[in-house]
Amino acid sequence: MKNNKIDKNLEKVRINIYNVLAILIVIIPEYFAELIYSIEVSQHKTILPNEGDAWENDTELKLSKMNIYELRLMAKRLSIHGYSNENKNTLIRRINRKSKNRIKWKSLKIGNISKTL
């Protein structure tokens, strides 16, 4: 009978110790991590602009919104070779570079035509 009471008390003490350890090891660090994250987020001033003029004018912003499938279709239309091996960031850079080159080439062609007239 005495052993039974001691066992029950030991079990209660063990459960209480586990509860305290859970609070110390899991809950408190989780609270601090959440607090630090919220402080860090509130201090960022470089927030992406809403979809407006900046998104319409800046091709890199448009490309960053696309998924990898859409980027690969765009690369195929632009005749970029080896696009299937590229990751998203590299593909965005290559498409951006290719589209700028096309715009420059078209403007040069239009400029040459206007000079001859």
Side-chain angles (χ1 to χ4, degrees):
M1 184 114 137
K2 198 172 191 182
N3 254 353
N4 218 4
K5 268 189 177 181
I6 293 173
D7 286 343
K8 284 183 182 180
N9 284 338
L10 278 176
E11 194 65 32
K12 285 181 182 180
V13 169
R14 190 178 300 146
I15 289 172
N16 287 336
I17 289 173
Y18 288 152
N19 289 338
V20 170
L21 286 175
I23 290 171
L24 290 175
I25 294 173
V26 177
I27 296 174
I28 292 174
E30 194 70 30
Y31 173 75
F32 281 127
E34 187 176 324
L35 182 69
I36 291 169
Y37 179 74
S38 64
I39 290 171
E40 182 181 325
V41 167
S42 67
Q43 290 181 352
H44 279 302
K45 294 179 183 174
T46 57
I47 297 173
L48 286 176
N50 291 334
E51 290 184 26
D53 295 336
W55 286 87
E56 290 175 16
N57 297 334
D58 194 0
T59 56
E60 195 166 350
L61 285 175
K62 283 183 191 176
L63 293 174
S64 67
K65 189 177 177 184
M66 293 178 165
N67 62 28
I68 192 74
Y69 177 73
E70 293 169 331
L71 289 171
R72 286 182 176 160
L73 286 176
M74 172 95 51
K76 185 177 181 182
R77 275 188 257 131
L78 291 172
S79 302
I80 297 175
H81 299 289
Y83 63 86
S84 62
N85 296 333
E86 303 289 337
N87 62 16
K88 186 175 180 176
N89 293 334
T90 311
L91 203 52
I92 287 172
R93 270 189 270 125
R94 288 185 69 191
I95 290 172
N96 201 15
R97 193 176 327 125
K98 183 80 169 194
S99 63
K100 283 181 182 176
N101 287 342
R102 276 197 168 186
I103 292 169
K104 287 179 187 175
W105 181 77
K106 285 182 180 179
S107 65
L108 286 175
K109 198 172 185 183
I110 292 170
N112 290 339
I113 291 171
S114 63
K115 284 181 184 177
T116 57
L117 296 174

